[in-house]
Amino acid sequence: MARSTGFLDTLLTSPSTERYRVGFSLLFLLGIWLTVGSFSQGMPNSMLLMAAAVIGGYMAINIGANDVANNVGPAVGSGALTLGGAIVIAAIFEASGALIAGGEVVSTIKGGIIDPTSLADSQAFVWLMTAALLAGALWLNLATWMGAPVSTTHSIVGGVLGAGIAAGGWGIADWAVMSKIAASWVISPVLGGALAALFLFAIKKTVLYRKDVVPAARTFVPLLVAIMAWVFGTYLMIKGVKKVVKVDFLEASLIGLVAAALAYVLVRTMVNRRAATMENSAVGVSSLFTWPLIFAAALLSFAHGANDVANAIGPLAAINDALASGGVVTAASIPLWVMLVGALGIAVGLMLFGPRLIKTVGSEITELDKTRAFCVALSAALTVILASQLGLPVSSTHIALGGVFGVGFLREYLKSNYATQLHKIMEHHDPEEQERLKPFLDDFRNASVEEMEKLLKQAKKNKQVPLVKSERKRLKKIYREEMVKRSHLMKIAAAWIITVPASAIMAAILFFTLRGLLI
């Protein structure tokens, strides 16, 4: 991991590397311009279509740079995947999801937030969608530069809302829908974080806190992976291939159960084979989640490509249909070239600019091992399933980040809880026995969260002596330690809150600019 981290730091900070990446992305956009221009010659408004295609490619690049990190970041941060391996897997599965399951028709107005039929003419609709697409892309570009993972869906929603209001007034917007989207700013991270923390606590209680973790792992790890297989099988049928195969929740659940049964048998066989040589520790248990994390990263990327590619190609498909038909469209067919712009753009953006956000999600918010990353991935898929069945508005980006914060805050709570209990026990003992305490404090200071409980039991049994004032201060520093970086929490939360209004304001300005230039 040290080698991978060094490569990543070089990739992020080297000016020459940055120039190459920007240059390659410009070549990609130039390729789109020339390709669309080659088959649109003689068509009315061909230059506008070419410009819209380039903007759609720019949006797809920014989706790949920002949003995909949520799918692979935990796996990279935990060491289950190298950065290069994660980028290759995510690029393949994101593009595959977009091309295979992206659908033949997409809604041109994401979430029904405005009524396009109230617009005066198709020209205003084309300007609206172009401005929305460019504003969403610009905001994602800025957020990626700041190192803040944000919702690509909210970015395009804000763009459509702002450009829509500029084109048709305040009455064009459906504010009931917008209130649901605003609710998702709270619902998504809280639900994702709570479930991730719950799963991690369950693993700690059933496996990691046991004296002999290997027998516990043989019992519970196959069950945990089977649950994950059911969740991901169901998730993939509901969200990943819904535009290819139509199934209801019961049918999707049954397919998930088949996947769970297969996963249980395979993982149980693997754990039984490794039990004889596996380290009797949290590290040994954590290693069992490597392959489940790799599959989770691939499946999350496939489902993300199938769903979120519409944020780039939906407006582009709408512009293409409007220019061809001369009317306002609420649902647009997707030509193959439009789908390729979205699929390839996401892959290019991930490979060129994705490492920055992957690093943020995987290692800068909180320390992730494979067990914690497993809980984050499981929470992300399960939260989407629960929300879709309950009709709750959620953002997959916010869910994944909420899961990372959730496991981090649980670690803080557990460490604080153990340290506080130990402090209370120690202060009641005779000060003359302080010399017996010093070796214990040295062990405690270097202990992991899991080892602290064992040390606490030892302290109760051996009746260790109280702490002197300087030692109490050191202990307080331990249980006040931040395991979640507050600076990242505040930056990401602020970016989430301003995503819709920021992209909306930019889209309104761009709409008026386009209208002024093209009238």
Side-chain angles (χ1 to χ4, degrees):
M1 286 303 292
R3 183 178 179 182
S4 176
T5 302
F7 170 75
L8 179 57
D9 290 340
T10 301
L11 192 67
L12 293 174
T13 58
S14 172
S16 60
T17 304
E18 180 70 20
R19 288 196 296 269
Y20 286 132
R21 288 183 292 162
V22 172
F24 191 87
S25 62
L26 291 175
L27 284 176
F28 174 73
L29 296 178
L30 178 61
I32 294 175
W33 174 273
L34 295 175
T35 302
V36 176
S38 67
F39 65 74
S40 64
Q41 286 182 353
M43 294 173 55
N45 298 306
S46 62
M47 291 292 290
L48 187 55
L49 179 62
M50 292 162 64
V54 170
I55 295 172
Y58 176 51
M59 178 65 171
I61 287 174
N62 283 287
I63 291 174
N66 191 288
D67 216 20
V68 180
N70 305 308
N71 303 326
V72 299
V76 173
S78 67
L81 279 170
T82 63
L83 177 64
I87 288 175
V88 171
I89 288 174
I92 292 172
F93 281 89
E94 285 279 342
S96 299
L99 291 172
I100 296 171
E104 297 179 354
V105 177
V106 296
S107 170
T108 62
I109 306 298
K110 191 74 177 180
I113 55 174
I114 67 169
D115 178 15
T117 59
S118 62
L119 295 174
D121 54 50
S122 62
Q123 197 69 31
F125 177 76
V126 170
W127 297 336
L128 185 159
M129 301 308 291
T130 303
L133 194 56
L134 182 55
L138 288 171
W139 170 248
L140 282 176
N141 201 158
L142 178 61
T144 303
W145 177 77
M146 293 188 300
V150 297
S151 171
T152 56
T153 301
H154 289 179
S155 299
I156 197 66
V157 161
V160 171
L161 177 67
I165 292 173
W170 293 94
I172 198 173
D174 188 333
W175 295 106
V177 172
M178 285 305 304
S179 65
K180 291 181 180 180
I181 292 172
S184 74
W185 298 339
V186 177
I187 295 172
S188 298
V190 169
L191 195 55
L195 284 176
L198 180 63
F199 286 129
L200 181 59
F201 186 73
I203 291 174
K204 288 180 179 294
K205 295 296 288 185
T206 57
V207 181
L208 300 180
Y209 287 168
R210 300 292 179 89
K211 183 177 181 180
D212 296 317
V213 299
V214 173
R218 293 175 66 178
T219 301
F220 291 104
V221 169
L223 289 173
L224 289 166
V225 177
I227 292 171
M228 185 183 207
W230 174 82
V231 169
F232 272 90
T234 306
Y235 175 82
L236 199 61
M237 296 306 299
I238 292 176
K239 303 296 288 185
V241 296
K242 63 181 180 180
K243 294 174 183 176
V244 177
V245 180
K246 294 286 186 180
V247 295
D248 58 25
F249 179 72
L250 179 59
E251 292 169 333
S253 297
L254 292 175
I255 294 171
L257 282 176
V258 173
L262 292 173
Y264 180 82
V265 173
L266 290 173
V267 174
R268 186 175 182 182
T269 302
M270 180 194 72
V271 174
N272 288 337
R273 187 183 301 121
R274 293 184 56 184
T277 58
M278 191 174 77
E279 181 181 341
N280 187 45
S281 67
V283 175
V285 174
S286 185
S287 66
L288 298 175
F289 293 109
T290 300
W291 279 104
L293 278 172
I294 294 173
F295 279 104
L299 295 176
L300 282 171
S301 296
F302 183 89
H304 178 268
N307 283 277
D308 281 26
V309 70
N311 292 328
I313 65 172
L316 177 56
I319 293 167
N320 180 62
D321 268 16
L323 291 175
S325 65
V328 175
V329 292
T330 57
S333 59
I334 306 177
L336 178 60
W337 72 266
V338 173
M339 188 63 76
L340 285 171
V341 166
L344 295 178
I346 289 176
V348 168
L350 170 65
M351 290 187 289
L352 295 179
F353 305 106
R356 179 171 190 145
L357 269 296
I358 290 174
K359 181 182 177 183
T360 297
V361 174
S363 60
E364 291 184 348
I365 295 173
T366 191
E367 182 183 346
L368 292 174
D369 60 13
K370 296 181 182 70
T371 305
R372 297 169 199 142
F374 173 86
C375 296
V376 173
L378 180 55
S379 168
L382 184 58
T383 302
V384 171
I385 292 174
L386 291 174
S388 65
Q389 295 308 302
L390 297 174
L392 298 174
V394 292
S395 162
S396 59
T397 301
H398 295 186
I399 291 169
L401 268 295
V404 174
F405 283 115
V407 298
F409 282 124
L410 177 66
R411 293 176 63 218
E412 278 193 12
Y413 168 76
L414 292 175
K415 191 160 189 175
S416 171
N417 191 41
Y418 297 151
T420 303
Q421 289 183 53
L422 185 59
H423 182 90
K424 289 180 179 178
I425 291 171
M426 295 302 175
E427 66 184 4
H428 296 297
H429 291 269
D430 187 2
E432 295 179 359
E433 299 179 344
Q434 290 178 7
E435 287 301 318
R436 292 177 54 197
L437 178 61
K438 188 174 181 180
F440 176 83
L441 280 178
D442 291 337
D443 291 338
F444 180 81
R445 191 175 295 108
N446 297 316
S448 65
V449 174
E450 291 77 16
E451 291 167 342
M452 280 186 173
E453 186 173 53
K454 295 178 183 178
L455 290 172
L456 178 58
K457 291 178 180 179
Q458 177 187 344
K460 290 181 179 179
K461 181 179 179 180
N462 296 335
K463 298 186 181 299
Q464 297 288 349
V465 294
L467 306 170
V468 298
K469 185 175 181 180
S470 62
E471 290 170 335
R472 272 202 304 271
K473 288 182 178 179
R474 283 199 294 272
L475 184 56
K476 287 179 181 179
K477 288 181 180 178
I478 291 174
Y479 66 72
R480 282 205 299 258
E481 178 185 352
E482 285 189 358
M483 293 185 174
V484 177
K485 300 300 182 185
R486 268 39 173 201
S487 59
H488 281 76
L489 173 61
M490 299 305 295
K491 178 174 68 175
I492 291 172
W496 286 354
I497 293 171
I498 66 173
T499 289
V500 170
S503 56
I505 292 170
M506 283 193 288
I509 295 171
L510 288 169
F511 175 82
F512 288 125
T513 303
L514 285 171
R515 189 177 66 174
L517 291 173
L518 297 175
I519 286 180

